[in-house]
Amino acid sequence: MNRPISEIVIVGGGTAGWLAACLIAARADADAAHPIHVTLVESPDVPTIGVGEGTWPTMRRTLERIGISEAEFLLACDGSFKQGSRFDGWVAGGDESYDHPFVPPIEGEPAAIVEGWRLSGDRSFAATVATQSNVCAADLAPRQRAMPDYAGALNYAYHLDAGKLAALLTRHATEKLGVRLVRDHVVGVDRVEDGDIAAVRTRGSGEITGDLFLDCSGHTALLIAGEYGVPFLDRSDVLFNDRALAVQVPVADDSPIASQTIATAHRAGWLWDIGLPTRRGIGCVYSSAYASDDDAAGILADYLVGAMPGVSIDDLNPRRLAFRSGHRERFWERNCLAIGLSAGFLEPLEASAIVLIELSLNALLDNFPASRDVMDIHADRFNALFRYRWDRIVEFLKLHYLLSRREEPYWRAHRDPASVPQRLVDLLRLWKHQPPSNRDFPAIEEVFPAASHQYVLYGMGFAPPEPGAIRIGTLQHTTAMLRQVEQRGRSLVASLPTNRAYLAALRRDAGVVDLKEHAS
Ligand SMILES: Cc1cc2nc3c(=O)[nH]c(=O)nc-3n(C[C@H](O)[C@H](O)[C@H](O)COP(=O)(O)OP(=O)(O)OC[C@H]3O[C@@H](n4cnc5c(N)ncnc54)[C@H](O)[C@@H]3O)c2cc1C
């Protein structure tokens, strides 16, 4: 039981598997008494899911830790900057819109900030308390080229091509970080007497033995479900969407690139619209209980007519995807840890999947089991922490639906009290009297902190609380800070390049470098 953990076997080569391989190999100490070796097994028969284009600001630190430069990443993955999400038509189905930016509101007591906003006129909450909405409205980048890698004038993440990210991580892991790649299909598992996994058996490459097995096999959940039978907790009673129809539309190389994921509500779900330098990724997410596949195709076609005149769905070869919102009851079982889709998936409304992969890997590496005999302690802690996180994400996603006033059957069903987690019901009662605060979200690394809840709540027209019996002490200071937000917003808009200008210059410069390399 006290054997060291040095052989890590990853089953699956999608975003989860390759992020795991890169992060573990990059953080492993080659001089350790029992150095870590990473092997990744990837089936040639099972394709990766191939979607997942919106990330979280955590991705900057992840890439930096892996040792990939920002320019290399942006160029290799057709990447662009993401500074949050814009929600169109969610409140009443009209042309109303609100932002969930990555920059939090100004620092201070939430009650004072919300009261400062209430008194400041009729600008939106997001545009009043943070600068990012103005920057996004002008399709601007969050940084200047001269800034150090991964630093920004504003907090940001990326939009990317998922297939290209997996290819970049594969190259980097195998060529620079010493990860062993086995391209073979896993057909079975060998266990030792105590129940741990000893090896995975492949079709043509024999057995691959290990101390810790990461199940990154996607929806198959080969080890965590197939081998250990850990139950799946279905959350579709809260989150109804279970289908998506996705297209990729090429764009002109001088077209504007949006700074946010644009999420447009429709009668039975919503559409995503993600701008990359060479194309837009557009998809219709829907609930099969409220819309047929043909209905979804019609909704997507209508959206394209409005968003990209001249583009017809008939020329685009849409991809259909089916999913179930839910997650495993436990994620770490014996010496097997599930990361990515094998651990679970909640509809992609707030791009919470890749960030959970990153957080899972950070949790593993920040508490890496020194030997097998302490692994179960780490597993118990991991399971408790991630159960908390999945529960909070379910509630946060539900909030977007619950506050809507749309009247179609799908939206009315979302407001049925039977579909709303009790904790969210209680919080909404509380938020009538006080804004969301860190006291509602006390964990150290909340995926969606109080600020995110404030943006959604007040963006969707939830009434800010009236002042209560206790005086708000810092209002004067808050009002002055809100004025500064306005000034700083104006100066950022005047100084930042557009996304298109930034990324075009990056490409031009890379082209110059390539040509020089070619000539020498
Ligand atoms: C419609 C939709 C939109 C999404 N949008 C976003 C988004 O905007 N942001 C975000 O963060 N996430 C998003 N996601 C989720 C995101 O796509 C995934 O979380 C991410 O791609 C990770 O997938 P994965 O690596 O776990 O699985 P996969 O990509 O499915 O990879 C599974 C791997 O396991 C391998 N495998 C399977 N069986 C075997 C076997 N027997 N032997 C060997 N190998 C095997 C396969 O070959 C493959 O390499 C979205 C998902 C959907 C469905």
Side-chain angles (χ1 to χ4, degrees), residues 10-18 40-56 82 159 162 182 184-188 201-202 215-222 243-246 261 270 272 274 284-285 321-323 339-357:
I10 300 168
V11 178
T15 303
W18 282 114
L40 185 143
V41 202
E42 181 183 11
S43 171
D45 306 341
V46 185
T48 61
I49 191 157
V51 284
E53 303 185 326
T55 63
W56 210 237
K82 170 175 175 177
H159 290 133
V182 178
D184 208 336
H185 192 78
V186 172
V187 290
R201 265 178 282 122
T202 59
D215 184 347
C216 300
S217 63
H219 285 307
T220 323
L222 197 70
R243 296 276 189 284
L245 188 64
T261 299
W270 59 279
W272 78 76
I274 286 180
C284 175
V285 179
L321 296 130
F323 56 84
I339 296 181
L341 296 174
S342 59
F345 179 63
L346 301 173
E347 64 138 293
L349 181 58
E350 285 275 8
S352 51
I354 297 174
V355 65
L356 275 178
I357 295 171

Side-chain angles (χ1 to χ4, degrees), residues 137-149:
D139 299 328
L140 300 180
R143 50 176 269 124
Q144 303 276 5
R145 287 281 306 284
M147 288 176 170
D149 264 17

Side-chain angles (χ1 to χ4, degrees), residues 184-216:
D184 208 336
H185 192 78
V186 172
V187 290
V189 173
D190 289 339
R191 288 221 236 162
V192 284
E193 257 168 35
D194 65 6
D196 275 11
I197 296 175
V200 289
R201 265 178 282 122
T202 59
R203 191 177 285 144
S205 315
E207 288 188 342
I208 301 167
T209 56
D211 302 310
L212 176 63
F213 290 80
L214 300 194
D215 184 347
C216 300

Side-chain angles (χ1 to χ4, degrees), residues 112 172 188 220 254 270 353 363 392 421 435 449 475 484:
H172 190 77
T220 323
D254 58 354
W270 59 279
R392 294 299 81 76
L475 202 52
Q484 281 174 23

